[in-house]
Amino acid sequence: MGGLRLPGDKSISHRYALLGAVAEGETVIRNYAPGADCASTLGCLAKLGVAISRRQGQAGSGEAYEEVVIVGRGLGGFQAPATTLDAGNSGSTMRMLSGLLAGHPFRSVITGDESLQRRPMRRVMEPLERMGASIQARDGDFPPLTITGNGLRGIEYASPVASAQVKSAVLLAGLLAEGETTVVEPVATRDHTEIALAQFGAEVARGRRKATVQGRLALCGQKLAVPGDISSAAFFLCAALLFPDSNLMIQDVGLNPTRTALLDFLKGMGAQIKVLNIGEAAGELIGDIHVSGGALSGGRIEGEMAAGLIDEIPVLAVLGTQTQEGLTLRDAKELRVKETDRIATVAENLRRMGARIEVHPDGFDIPGKQRLAGAELDSFGDHRIAMAFAIAALAAKNESVVRNSAAAVVSFPNFFESLEKVVER
């Protein structure tokens, strides 16, 4: 294994695009995430009258790059869409864009693919309705959503779920609301929205589990670079840890403290990980991660840690089979309502590989020191399951096939090419 650069962070890319769309002036985003989810956000914004283009550039080192250019329409400046907005597979697009749509005085409909239409939206509808929007959903909870915006009022909302998407939707709606809008979380979640709001000039006050935004203050377009996606890095870190002689450097990765629970958890299992060349870009920490292979003890994920590792759990489950003591997961019911029921799909694929796993409503127990057998696996249309079980296949005896592996395009279109290059080195 050798060196690697990752595509832009998906979570940050969504937020930069949404805020650029309601800012005044031009926002230029380098290293915008290339996956289908973030393309869905741009597609929806274009239907709302936002001018979006791409242009090529070249760094001083000679390295080529692409920039996404968004001409903002200002707060409240969206045009009523002529057709239904399509969020594709992206829950981030649907939930966060709903916050902005709630403050615009027109009717819009936003839908998604079959998977997204099974994901609950009441969690974001309820606070937006309290702010003054009118929202209808299939069976009261599921897409498509029909949103009729209105003059919003700021609220203080104690979210019953630990969800950065819910928090973000409410804060984005707060930009268009009268007065202050506050979200209080049961567990602190990733804070990319709060950081980005401050970069665009919003008035934001923050506590450990609390964020407040002042409404109806103009935002200014920005020039931004998106760091590499640490959730994508998780697959390569776990791949390296499967092999004793591995040695991998991942460059320019986002190191936001609300996302680095992954590194702390892996180090706690005995992983040899070093963080180098730490810097800052637009309020987000960025740096290089070096990892080398070695024996791992095992671990337990629960409480706040479960919220902090929610995207990385599928690949950590795979890694858990190869540790000394295995992996225990609790307090992760949120995994049941992702692109798939990830507790169920992880269990299904591990069992196909001959692994033992005991499933619970909010997690699982995976013994360590297991031998994985090559098998026919399935992503079930979930990008993180596709990538996690590509990593599992590396550790298995004999060949494995991952069906529906194209699901990886949602967040990492070149995942398999990148994995092949890294393994060859």
Side-chain angles (χ1 to χ4, degrees):
M1 294 191 176
L4 180 68
R5 287 184 185 273
L6 296 172
D9 186 282
K10 189 161 74 89
S11 295
I12 295 173
S13 296
H14 283 300
R15 288 156 171 83
Y16 284 175
L18 291 168
L19 289 171
V22 294
E24 296 181 357
E26 188 176 85
T27 290
V28 180
I29 308 170
R30 185 185 296 192
N31 201 34
Y32 187 83
D37 273 9
C38 289
S40 292
T41 290
L42 296 182
C44 288
L45 292 174
K47 286 189 175 182
L48 293 163
V50 180
I52 299 170
S53 60
R54 296 177 184 266
R55 67 189 184 199
Q56 303 298 315
Q58 193 171 56
S61 62
E63 183 179 358
Y65 60 82
E66 182 181 76
E67 294 177 328
V68 171
V69 182
I70 297 173
V71 181
R73 297 190 62 88
L75 289 178
F78 286 169
Q79 294 177 350
T83 59
T84 297
L85 303 172
D86 185 0
N89 189 244
S90 177
S92 295
T93 301
M94 179 168 286
R95 291 185 177 126
M96 292 194 289
L97 182 56
S98 292
L100 293 179
L101 292 173
H104 284 80
F106 53 70
R107 177 182 175 275
S108 57
V109 179
I110 182 166
T111 190
D113 66 11
E114 184 179 350
S115 170
L116 184 54
Q117 290 184 38
R118 294 193 300 267
R119 298 179 67 181
M121 295 295 151
R122 186 72 224 166
R123 56 181 55 187
V124 81
M125 293 167 59
E126 195 272 334
L128 297 179
E129 288 172 340
R130 281 183 52 188
M131 296 177 77
S134 173
I135 308 177
Q136 285 79 46
R138 179 174 54 83
D139 297 330
D141 198 7
F142 303 100
L145 303 183
T146 300
I147 302 171
T148 304
N150 210 334
L152 302 182
R153 58 185 177 277
I155 62 170
E156 179 164 322
Y157 182 64
S159 178
V161 295
S163 168
Q165 293 177 7
V166 172
K167 173 177 67 175
S168 299
V170 178
L171 292 176
L172 291 173
L175 291 173
L176 296 114
E178 184 68 38
E180 289 184 346
T181 297
T182 298
V183 180
V184 181
E185 299 184 282
V187 172
T189 63
R190 59 187 63 178
D191 62 354
H192 300 305
T193 298
E194 297 94 308
I195 292 172
L197 282 167
Q199 290 298 312
F200 278 85
E203 287 190 11
V204 186
R206 302 172 57 193
R208 185 169 179 273
R209 294 188 296 108
K210 184 176 182 178
T212 299
V213 66
Q214 178 66 48
R216 301 188 182 178
L217 296 177
L219 306 182
C220 297
Q222 300 293 311
K223 190 174 180 64
L224 304 157
V226 181
D229 191 343
I230 194 167
S231 293
S232 295
F235 301 101
F236 296 93
L237 293 172
C238 289
L241 291 168
L242 291 173
F243 301 98
D245 298 327
S246 62
N247 184 38
L248 178 66
M249 179 77 80
I250 308 177
Q251 298 171 300
D252 297 330
V253 182
L255 298 172
N256 183 297
T258 64
R259 301 281 295 282
T260 53
L262 169 68
L263 303 182
D264 295 335
F265 181 72
L266 292 175
K267 287 179 181 179
M269 292 201 298
Q272 300 300 307
I273 293 176
K274 296 179 181 179
V275 178
L276 310 168
N277 305 319
I278 299 174
E280 184 177 306
E284 294 280 359
L285 292 179
I286 191 169
D288 301 336
I289 303 173
H290 178 266
V291 59
S292 53
L296 300 177
S297 60
R300 184 179 182 91
I301 301 171
E302 61 186 346
E304 291 193 19
M305 185 181 292
L309 291 172
I310 201 71
D311 286 337
E312 292 77 42
I313 286 170
V315 74
L316 289 174
V318 169
L319 184 64
T321 66
Q322 305 303 297
T323 63
Q324 294 296 307
E325 300 163 13
L327 180 70
T328 296
L329 172 68
R330 295 291 187 275
D331 304 319
K333 284 185 180 179
E334 187 69 12
L335 285 175
R336 297 284 190 183
V337 293
K338 291 292 187 177
E339 285 83 338
T340 59
D341 177 341
R342 286 182 177 159
I343 292 174
T345 49
V346 163
E348 171 67 21
N349 279 330
L350 284 179
R351 286 168 177 156
R352 291 185 187 186
M353 303 183 84
R356 302 186 307 281
I357 176 171
E358 182 181 351
V359 171
H360 302 277
D362 64 342
F364 46 65
D365 296 309
I366 298 174
K369 296 188 284 189
Q370 300 196 60
R371 292 184 178 181
L372 300 181
E376 184 169 308
L377 308 167
D378 201 324
S379 77
F380 301 97
D382 187 327
H383 60 124
R384 297 202 191 279
I385 298 298
M387 293 185 283
F389 283 89
I391 303 307
L394 295 178
K397 183 179 180 181
N398 299 323
E399 182 180 271
S400 294
V401 176
V402 182
R403 301 294 181 193
N404 301 307
S405 60
V409 75
V410 164
S411 59
F412 198 157
N414 296 321
F415 171 76
F416 291 99
E417 292 90 336
S418 297
L419 182 61
E420 185 175 13
K421 289 177 183 177
V422 168
V423 171
E424 285 177 349
R425 291 172 185 167

